[in-house]
PDB file of all heavy atoms in Angstrom:
ATOM      1  N   LYS A 250     -13.435  14.812  26.910  1.00 97.00           N
ATOM      2  CA  LYS A 250     -12.313  15.695  26.746  1.00 97.00           C
ATOM      3  C   LYS A 250     -12.826  16.977  26.144  1.00 97.00           C
ATOM      4  O   LYS A 250     -13.417  17.006  25.028  1.00 97.00           O
ATOM      5  CB  LYS A 250     -11.169  15.109  25.911  1.00 97.00           C
ATOM      6  CG  LYS A 250      -9.997  16.055  25.735  1.00 97.00           C
ATOM      7  CD  LYS A 250      -9.250  16.128  27.049  1.00 97.00           C
ATOM      8  CE  LYS A 250      -8.108  17.158  27.020  1.00 97.00           C
ATOM      9  NZ  LYS A 250      -7.354  17.243  28.301  1.00 97.00           N
ATOM     10  N   THR A 251     -12.624  18.093  26.796  1.00 96.00           N
ATOM     11  CA  THR A 251     -12.949  19.464  26.262  1.00 96.00           C
ATOM     12  C   THR A 251     -11.712  20.176  26.047  1.00 96.00           C
ATOM     13  O   THR A 251     -10.737  20.036  26.862  1.00 96.00           O
ATOM     14  CB  THR A 251     -13.911  20.161  27.197  1.00 96.00           C
ATOM     15  OG1 THR A 251     -13.331  20.203  28.499  1.00 96.00           O
ATOM     16  CG2 THR A 251     -15.298  19.500  27.250  1.00 96.00           C
ATOM     17  N   TYR A 252     -11.657  21.004  24.955  1.00 95.00           N
ATOM     18  CA  TYR A 252     -10.583  21.772  24.791  1.00 95.00           C
ATOM     19  C   TYR A 252     -11.188  23.286  24.831  1.00 95.00           C
ATOM     20  O   TYR A 252     -12.270  23.530  24.368  1.00 95.00           O
ATOM     21  CB  TYR A 252      -9.937  21.717  23.352  1.00 95.00           C
ATOM     22  CG  TYR A 252      -9.180  20.453  23.237  1.00 95.00           C
ATOM     23  CD1 TYR A 252      -9.696  19.414  22.383  1.00 95.00           C
ATOM     24  CD2 TYR A 252      -7.971  20.197  23.834  1.00 95.00           C
ATOM     25  CE1 TYR A 252      -9.011  18.184  22.152  1.00 95.00           C
ATOM     26  CE2 TYR A 252      -7.277  18.995  23.693  1.00 95.00           C
ATOM     27  CZ  TYR A 252      -7.765  17.999  22.839  1.00 95.00           C
ATOM     28  OH  TYR A 252      -7.030  16.840  22.683  1.00 95.00           O
ATOM     29  N   GLY A 253     -10.314  24.283  25.337  1.00 91.00           N
ATOM     30  CA  GLY A 253     -10.686  25.647  25.331  1.00 91.00           C
ATOM     31  C   GLY A 253     -11.851  25.891  26.359  1.00 91.00           C
ATOM     32  O   GLY A 253     -12.236  24.932  27.182  1.00 91.00           O
ATOM     33  N   ASN A 257     -15.691  29.186  22.912  1.00 88.00           N
ATOM     34  CA  ASN A 257     -14.815  28.448  21.993  1.00 88.00           C
ATOM     35  C   ASN A 257     -14.519  26.936  22.526  1.00 88.00           C
ATOM     36  O   ASN A 257     -13.729  26.304  21.960  1.00 88.00           O
ATOM     37  CB  ASN A 257     -13.440  29.114  22.067  1.00 88.00           C
ATOM     38  CG  ASN A 257     -13.503  30.528  21.466  1.00 88.00           C
ATOM     39  OD1 ASN A 257     -14.355  30.736  20.568  1.00 88.00           O
ATOM     40  ND2 ASN A 257     -12.797  31.422  22.074  1.00 88.00           N
ATOM     41  N   VAL A 259     -14.601  23.157  22.743  1.00 93.00           N
ATOM     42  CA  VAL A 259     -14.816  22.056  21.976  1.00 93.00           C
ATOM     43  C   VAL A 259     -14.858  20.805  22.743  1.00 93.00           C
ATOM     44  O   VAL A 259     -14.030  20.503  23.502  1.00 93.00           O
ATOM     45  CB  VAL A 259     -13.640  21.852  20.840  1.00 93.00           C
ATOM     46  CG1 VAL A 259     -13.935  20.662  19.964  1.00 93.00           C
ATOM     47  CG2 VAL A 259     -13.403  23.110  20.083  1.00 93.00           C
ATOM     48  N   ARG A 260     -16.045  19.984  22.648  1.00 94.00           N
ATOM     49  CA  ARG A 260     -16.117  18.750  23.242  1.00 94.00           C
ATOM     50  C   ARG A 260     -15.576  17.715  22.311  1.00 94.00           C
ATOM     51  O   ARG A 260     -16.444  17.071  21.577  1.00 94.00           O
ATOM     52  CB  ARG A 260     -17.598  18.487  23.651  1.00 94.00           C
ATOM     53  CG  ARG A 260     -17.986  19.068  24.965  1.00 94.00           C
ATOM     54  CD  ARG A 260     -19.403  18.761  25.261  1.00 94.00           C
ATOM     55  NE  ARG A 260     -19.590  17.754  26.300  1.00 94.00           N
ATOM     56  CZ  ARG A 260     -19.471  17.865  27.569  1.00 94.00           C
ATOM     57  NH1 ARG A 260     -19.049  18.995  28.036  1.00 94.00           N
ATOM     58  NH2 ARG A 260     -19.683  16.878  28.402  1.00 94.00           N
ATOM     59  N   ALA A 261     -14.307  17.476  22.307  1.00 96.00           N
ATOM     60  CA  ALA A 261     -13.673  16.567  21.336  1.00 96.00           C
ATOM     61  C   ALA A 261     -14.086  15.123  21.621  1.00 96.00           C
ATOM     62  O   ALA A 261     -14.301  14.316  20.719  1.00 96.00           O
ATOM     63  CB  ALA A 261     -12.150  16.730  21.417  1.00 96.00           C
ATOM     64  N   VAL A 262     -14.218  14.753  22.934  1.00 97.00           N
ATOM     65  CA  VAL A 262     -14.770  13.477  23.269  1.00 97.00           C
ATOM     66  C   VAL A 262     -15.895  13.693  24.197  1.00 97.00           C
ATOM     67  O   VAL A 262     -15.687  14.416  25.176  1.00 97.00           O
ATOM     68  CB  VAL A 262     -13.643  12.570  23.890  1.00 97.00           C
ATOM     69  CG1 VAL A 262     -14.196  11.240  24.333  1.00 97.00           C
ATOM     70  CG2 VAL A 262     -12.485  12.340  22.937  1.00 97.00           C
ATOM     71  N   LEU A 277     -12.095   2.270  15.626  1.00 96.00           N
ATOM     72  CA  LEU A 277     -12.821   3.474  15.940  1.00 96.00           C
ATOM     73  C   LEU A 277     -12.894   4.185  14.511  1.00 96.00           C
ATOM     74  O   LEU A 277     -11.947   4.621  13.951  1.00 96.00           O
ATOM     75  CB  LEU A 277     -12.084   4.398  16.890  1.00 96.00           C
ATOM     76  CG  LEU A 277     -12.458   4.426  18.326  1.00 96.00           C
ATOM     77  CD1 LEU A 277     -11.685   5.501  19.047  1.00 96.00           C
ATOM     78  CD2 LEU A 277     -13.907   4.562  18.629  1.00 96.00           C
ATOM     79  N   GLY A 279     -14.502   6.947  11.990  1.00 89.00           N
ATOM     80  CA  GLY A 279     -15.158   8.207  11.953  1.00 89.00           C
ATOM     81  C   GLY A 279     -14.441   9.226  11.140  1.00 89.00           C
ATOM     82  O   GLY A 279     -13.315   9.015  10.821  1.00 89.00           O
ATOM     83  N   PRO A 280     -15.183  10.276  10.763  1.00 87.00           N
ATOM     84  CA  PRO A 280     -14.591  11.389   9.943  1.00 87.00           C
ATOM     85  C   PRO A 280     -13.457  12.194  10.582  1.00 87.00           C
ATOM     86  O   PRO A 280     -13.320  11.992  11.891  1.00 87.00           O
ATOM     87  CB  PRO A 280     -15.732  12.142   9.591  1.00 87.00           C
ATOM     88  CG  PRO A 280     -16.708  12.066  10.636  1.00 87.00           C
ATOM     89  CD  PRO A 280     -16.536  10.728  11.229  1.00 87.00           C
ATOM     90  N   ASN A 281     -12.796  13.088   9.948  1.00 86.00           N
ATOM     91  CA  ASN A 281     -11.859  14.002  10.529  1.00 86.00           C
ATOM     92  C   ASN A 281     -12.619  14.733  11.622  1.00 86.00           C
ATOM     93  O   ASN A 281     -13.630  15.236  11.479  1.00 86.00           O
ATOM     94  CB  ASN A 281     -11.339  14.966   9.542  1.00 86.00           C
ATOM     95  CG  ASN A 281     -10.402  14.244   8.541  1.00 86.00           C
ATOM     96  OD1 ASN A 281      -9.832  13.144   8.827  1.00 86.00           O
ATOM     97  ND2 ASN A 281     -10.183  14.836   7.350  1.00 86.00           N
ATOM     98  N   GLY A 282     -11.864  14.911  12.786  1.00 88.00           N
ATOM     99  CA  GLY A 282     -12.438  15.710  13.803  1.00 88.00           C
ATOM    100  C   GLY A 282     -13.462  15.023  14.729  1.00 88.00           C
ATOM    101  O   GLY A 282     -13.999  15.649  15.577  1.00 88.00           O
ATOM    102  N   ALA A 283     -13.615  13.711  14.498  1.00 91.00           N
ATOM    103  CA  ALA A 283     -14.627  13.040  15.317  1.00 91.00           C
ATOM    104  C   ALA A 283     -14.179  12.817  16.738  1.00 91.00           C
ATOM    105  O   ALA A 283     -15.083  12.482  17.539  1.00 91.00           O
ATOM    106  CB  ALA A 283     -14.901  11.766  14.677  1.00 91.00           C
ATOM    107  N   GLY A 284     -12.977  12.874  16.990  1.00 94.00           N
ATOM    108  CA  GLY A 284     -12.441  12.721  18.399  1.00 94.00           C
ATOM    109  C   GLY A 284     -11.658  11.337  18.552  1.00 94.00           C
ATOM    110  O   GLY A 284     -11.360  10.866  19.678  1.00 94.00           O
ATOM    111  N   LYS A 285     -11.182  10.787  17.411  1.00 94.00           N
ATOM    112  CA  LYS A 285     -10.455   9.598  17.429  1.00 94.00           C
ATOM    113  C   LYS A 285      -9.063   9.664  18.054  1.00 94.00           C
ATOM    114  O   LYS A 285      -8.690   8.972  18.989  1.00 94.00           O
ATOM    115  CB  LYS A 285     -10.320   8.956  16.033  1.00 94.00           C
ATOM    116  CG  LYS A 285     -11.624   8.703  15.248  1.00 94.00           C
ATOM    117  CD  LYS A 285     -11.469   8.080  13.889  1.00 94.00           C
ATOM    118  CE  LYS A 285     -10.753   8.918  12.914  1.00 94.00           C
ATOM    119  NZ  LYS A 285     -11.320  10.265  12.474  1.00 94.00           N
ATOM    120  N   THR A 286      -8.289  10.665  17.587  1.00 94.00           N
ATOM    121  CA  THR A 286      -6.971  10.872  18.079  1.00 94.00           C
ATOM    122  C   THR A 286      -6.974  11.335  19.542  1.00 94.00           C
ATOM    123  O   THR A 286      -6.146  10.849  20.295  1.00 94.00           O
ATOM    124  CB  THR A 286      -6.241  11.968  17.210  1.00 94.00           C
ATOM    125  OG1 THR A 286      -6.231  11.565  15.878  1.00 94.00           O
ATOM    126  CG2 THR A 286      -4.862  12.111  17.680  1.00 94.00           C
ATOM    127  N   THR A 287      -7.971  12.097  19.900  1.00 96.00           N
ATOM    128  CA  THR A 287      -8.092  12.576  21.308  1.00 96.00           C
ATOM    129  C   THR A 287      -8.354  11.317  22.127  1.00 96.00           C
ATOM    130  O   THR A 287      -7.780  11.227  23.281  1.00 96.00           O
ATOM    131  CB  THR A 287      -9.244  13.574  21.443  1.00 96.00           C
ATOM    132  OG1 THR A 287      -8.933  14.662  20.499  1.00 96.00           O
ATOM    133  CG2 THR A 287      -9.280  14.060  22.876  1.00 96.00           C
ATOM    134  N   THR A 288      -9.222  10.388  21.743  1.00 97.00           N
ATOM    135  CA  THR A 288      -9.529   9.223  22.580  1.00 97.00           C
ATOM    136  C   THR A 288      -8.213   8.417  22.723  1.00 97.00           C
ATOM    137  O   THR A 288      -7.924   8.015  23.816  1.00 97.00           O
ATOM    138  CB  THR A 288     -10.628   8.370  21.841  1.00 97.00           C
ATOM    139  OG1 THR A 288     -11.731   9.173  21.620  1.00 97.00           O
ATOM    140  CG2 THR A 288     -10.937   7.101  22.678  1.00 97.00           C
ATOM    141  N   ILE A 289      -7.539   8.197  21.632  1.00 96.00           N
ATOM    142  CA  ILE A 289      -6.296   7.409  21.772  1.00 96.00           C
ATOM    143  C   ILE A 289      -5.197   8.134  22.679  1.00 96.00           C
ATOM    144  O   ILE A 289      -4.565   7.552  23.477  1.00 96.00           O
ATOM    145  CB  ILE A 289      -5.640   7.238  20.353  1.00 96.00           C
ATOM    146  CG1 ILE A 289      -6.367   6.103  19.610  1.00 96.00           C
ATOM    147  CG2 ILE A 289      -4.196   6.867  20.467  1.00 96.00           C
ATOM    148  CD1 ILE A 289      -5.594   5.393  18.556  1.00 96.00           C
ATOM    149  N   SER A 290      -5.146   9.461  22.513  1.00 96.00           N
ATOM    150  CA  SER A 290      -4.207  10.248  23.331  1.00 96.00           C
ATOM    151  C   SER A 290      -4.556  10.061  24.886  1.00 96.00           C
ATOM    152  O   SER A 290      -3.635  10.017  25.709  1.00 96.00           O
ATOM    153  CB  SER A 290      -4.232  11.685  23.011  1.00 96.00           C
ATOM    154  OG  SER A 290      -3.906  11.836  21.647  1.00 96.00           O
ATOM    155  N   ILE A 296      -2.574  12.700  27.343  1.00 96.00           N
ATOM    156  CA  ILE A 296      -3.300  13.805  27.799  1.00 96.00           C
ATOM    157  C   ILE A 296      -4.420  13.287  28.820  1.00 96.00           C
ATOM    158  O   ILE A 296      -4.843  12.162  28.619  1.00 96.00           O
ATOM    159  CB  ILE A 296      -4.156  14.602  26.695  1.00 96.00           C
ATOM    160  CG1 ILE A 296      -5.044  13.796  25.843  1.00 96.00           C
ATOM    161  CG2 ILE A 296      -3.226  15.318  25.783  1.00 96.00           C
ATOM    162  CD1 ILE A 296      -5.951  14.459  24.964  1.00 96.00           C
ATOM    163  N   GLN A 326      -0.222   9.427  13.637  1.00 81.00           N
ATOM    164  CA  GLN A 326      -0.213   9.634  12.178  1.00 81.00           C
ATOM    165  C   GLN A 326       1.144  10.082  11.700  1.00 81.00           C
ATOM    166  O   GLN A 326       1.541   9.734  10.551  1.00 81.00           O
ATOM    167  CB  GLN A 326      -1.309  10.644  11.855  1.00 81.00           C
ATOM    168  CG  GLN A 326      -2.728  10.074  12.089  1.00 81.00           C
ATOM    169  CD  GLN A 326      -3.722  11.208  11.999  1.00 81.00           C
ATOM    170  OE1 GLN A 326      -3.612  12.156  11.362  1.00 81.00           O
ATOM    171  NE2 GLN A 326      -4.921  10.894  12.660  1.00 81.00           N
ATOM    172  N   ASP A 402      -3.040   4.987  15.280  1.00 94.00           N
ATOM    173  CA  ASP A 402      -3.805   6.049  14.879  1.00 94.00           C
ATOM    174  C   ASP A 402      -3.750   6.134  13.353  1.00 94.00           C
ATOM    175  O   ASP A 402      -2.737   6.622  12.868  1.00 94.00           O
ATOM    176  CB  ASP A 402      -3.360   7.378  15.602  1.00 94.00           C
ATOM    177  CG  ASP A 402      -4.437   8.474  15.435  1.00 94.00           C
ATOM    178  OD1 ASP A 402      -5.577   8.239  15.056  1.00 94.00           O
ATOM    179  OD2 ASP A 402      -4.020   9.725  15.616  1.00 94.00           O
ATOM    180  N   GLU A 403      -4.932   5.817  12.690  1.00 93.00           N
ATOM    181  CA  GLU A 403      -4.781   5.938  11.197  1.00 93.00           C
ATOM    182  C   GLU A 403      -3.658   5.270  10.648  1.00 93.00           C
ATOM    183  O   GLU A 403      -2.804   5.853   9.986  1.00 93.00           O
ATOM    184  CB  GLU A 403      -4.989   7.435  10.749  1.00 93.00           C
ATOM    185  CG  GLU A 403      -6.158   8.137  11.224  1.00 93.00           C
ATOM    186  CD  GLU A 403      -7.339   8.063  10.204  1.00 93.00           C
ATOM    187  OE1 GLU A 403      -7.220   7.318   9.253  1.00 93.00           O
ATOM    188  OE2 GLU A 403      -8.299   8.759  10.527  1.00 93.00           O
ATOM    189  N   LEU A 406      -3.186   5.817   6.731  1.00 88.00           N
ATOM    190  CA  LEU A 406      -3.573   7.128   6.143  1.00 88.00           C
ATOM    191  C   LEU A 406      -2.649   7.471   4.965  1.00 88.00           C
ATOM    192  O   LEU A 406      -1.485   7.535   5.090  1.00 88.00           O
ATOM    193  CB  LEU A 406      -3.503   8.155   7.227  1.00 88.00           C
ATOM    194  CG  LEU A 406      -4.062   9.594   6.820  1.00 88.00           C
ATOM    195  CD1 LEU A 406      -5.552   9.571   6.681  1.00 88.00           C
ATOM    196  CD2 LEU A 406      -3.579  10.679   7.805  1.00 88.00           C
ATOM    197  N   THR A 434      -7.629   3.594  14.782  1.00 95.00           N
ATOM    198  CA  THR A 434      -8.637   4.514  14.322  1.00 95.00           C
ATOM    199  C   THR A 434      -8.545   4.566  12.807  1.00 95.00           C
ATOM    200  O   THR A 434      -7.454   4.335  12.233  1.00 95.00           O
ATOM    201  CB  THR A 434      -8.349   5.946  14.911  1.00 95.00           C
ATOM    202  OG1 THR A 434      -7.233   6.462  14.195  1.00 95.00           O
ATOM    203  CG2 THR A 434      -8.215   5.904  16.343  1.00 95.00           C
ATOM    204  N   THR A 435      -9.615   4.892  12.191  1.00 92.00           N
ATOM    205  CA  THR A 435      -9.585   4.964  10.676  1.00 92.00           C
ATOM    206  C   THR A 435     -10.680   5.758  10.242  1.00 92.00           C
ATOM    207  O   THR A 435     -11.770   5.856  10.892  1.00 92.00           O
ATOM    208  CB  THR A 435      -9.579   3.537  10.106  1.00 92.00           C
ATOM    209  OG1 THR A 435      -9.450   3.698   8.682  1.00 92.00           O
ATOM    210  CG2 THR A 435     -10.759   2.777  10.302  1.00 92.00           C
ATOM    211  N   HIS A 436     -10.583   6.395   9.077  1.00 88.00           N
ATOM    212  CA  HIS A 436     -11.841   6.895   8.446  1.00 88.00           C
ATOM    213  C   HIS A 436     -12.064   6.101   7.156  1.00 88.00           C
ATOM    214  O   HIS A 436     -12.873   6.522   6.360  1.00 88.00           O
ATOM    215  CB  HIS A 436     -11.761   8.389   8.220  1.00 88.00           C
ATOM    216  CG  HIS A 436     -10.744   8.983   7.264  1.00 88.00           C
ATOM    217  ND1 HIS A 436      -9.499   9.054   7.798  1.00 88.00           N
ATOM    218  CD2 HIS A 436     -10.757   9.248   6.014  1.00 88.00           C
ATOM    219  CE1 HIS A 436      -8.768   9.516   6.706  1.00 88.00           C
ATOM    220  NE2 HIS A 436      -9.542   9.606   5.707  1.00 88.00           N
ATOM    221  N   ILE A 451     -17.678   6.589  15.403  1.00 93.00           N
ATOM    222  CA  ILE A 451     -17.608   7.805  16.176  1.00 93.00           C
ATOM    223  C   ILE A 451     -17.957   9.095  15.383  1.00 93.00           C
ATOM    224  O   ILE A 451     -17.375   9.212  14.238  1.00 93.00           O
ATOM    225  CB  ILE A 451     -16.222   7.899  16.875  1.00 93.00           C
ATOM    226  CG1 ILE A 451     -16.224   9.082  17.917  1.00 93.00           C
ATOM    227  CG2 ILE A 451     -15.144   7.926  15.989  1.00 93.00           C
ATOM    228  CD1 ILE A 451     -15.012   8.958  18.869  1.00 93.00           C
ATOM    229  N   ALA A 453     -18.574  13.440  16.089  1.00 91.00           N
ATOM    230  CA  ALA A 453     -18.676  14.546  16.997  1.00 91.00           C
ATOM    231  C   ALA A 453     -18.504  14.121  18.502  1.00 91.00           C
ATOM    232  O   ALA A 453     -19.168  14.441  19.388  1.00 91.00           O
ATOM    233  CB  ALA A 453     -20.036  15.261  16.865  1.00 91.00           C
ATOM    234  N   GLY A 454     -17.512  13.268  18.659  1.00 95.00           N
ATOM    235  CA  GLY A 454     -17.069  12.876  20.128  1.00 95.00           C
ATOM    236  C   GLY A 454     -18.028  11.839  20.703  1.00 95.00           C
ATOM    237  O   GLY A 454     -17.807  11.550  21.877  1.00 95.00           O
TER     238      GLY A 454
HETATM  239  P1  LIG B 681      -8.337  13.599  12.613  1.00 96.07           P
HETATM  240  O1  LIG B 681      -8.212  12.169  12.052  1.00 96.07           O
HETATM  241  O2  LIG B 681      -8.582  14.606  11.655  1.00 96.07           O
HETATM  242  O3  LIG B 681      -7.244  13.898  13.703  1.00 96.07           O
HETATM  243  P2  LIG B 681      -9.948  12.816  14.819  1.00 96.07           P
HETATM  244  O4  LIG B 681     -11.239  12.088  14.788  1.00 96.07           O
HETATM  245  O5  LIG B 681      -8.715  12.136  15.315  1.00 96.07           O
HETATM  246  O6  LIG B 681      -9.656  13.519  13.560  1.00 96.07           O
HETATM  247  P3  LIG B 681      -9.434  14.784  16.988  1.00 96.07           P
HETATM  248  O7  LIG B 681      -8.076  15.075  16.512  1.00 96.07           O
HETATM  249  O8  LIG B 681      -9.521  13.922  18.183  1.00 96.07           O
HETATM  250  O9  LIG B 681     -10.297  14.133  15.856  1.00 96.07           O
HETATM  251  O10 LIG B 681     -10.159  16.097  17.180  1.00 96.07           O
HETATM  252  C1  LIG B 681     -11.561  16.193  17.802  1.00 96.07           C
HETATM  253  C2  LIG B 681     -11.844  17.732  17.920  1.00 96.07           C
HETATM  254  O11 LIG B 681     -11.141  18.311  18.942  1.00 96.07           O
HETATM  255  C3  LIG B 681     -11.745  18.460  16.565  1.00 96.07           C
HETATM  256  O12 LIG B 681     -12.724  19.380  16.558  1.00 96.07           O
HETATM  257  C4  LIG B 681     -10.360  19.187  16.813  1.00 96.07           C
HETATM  258  O13 LIG B 681     -10.272  20.428  16.166  1.00 96.07           O
HETATM  259  C5  LIG B 681     -10.324  19.324  18.374  1.00 96.07           C
HETATM  260  N1  LIG B 681      -9.071  19.399  18.953  1.00 96.07           N
HETATM  261  C6  LIG B 681      -8.139  18.343  18.923  1.00 96.07           C
HETATM  262  N2  LIG B 681      -7.077  18.713  19.595  1.00 96.07           N
HETATM  263  C7  LIG B 681      -7.167  19.920  20.065  1.00 96.07           C
HETATM  264  C8  LIG B 681      -6.416  20.879  20.835  1.00 96.07           C
HETATM  265  N3  LIG B 681      -5.163  20.483  21.216  1.00 96.07           N
HETATM  266  N4  LIG B 681      -6.932  22.084  21.072  1.00 96.07           N
HETATM  267  C9  LIG B 681      -8.179  22.445  20.704  1.00 96.07           C
HETATM  268  N5  LIG B 681      -8.976  21.654  19.878  1.00 96.07           N
HETATM  269  C10 LIG B 681      -8.498  20.403  19.508  1.00 96.07           C
END
Side-chain angles (χ1 to χ4, degrees):
K250 181 69 187 182
T251 54
Y252 290 111
N257 296 327
V259 179
R260 274 177 103 79
V262 176
L277 264 184
N281 289 338
K285 305 183 296 294
T286 303
T287 305
T288 303
I289 284 208
S290 301
I296 56 170
Q326 290 170 28
D402 194 16
E403 300 269 4
L406 186 71
T434 72
T435 184
H436 65 281
I451 185 166

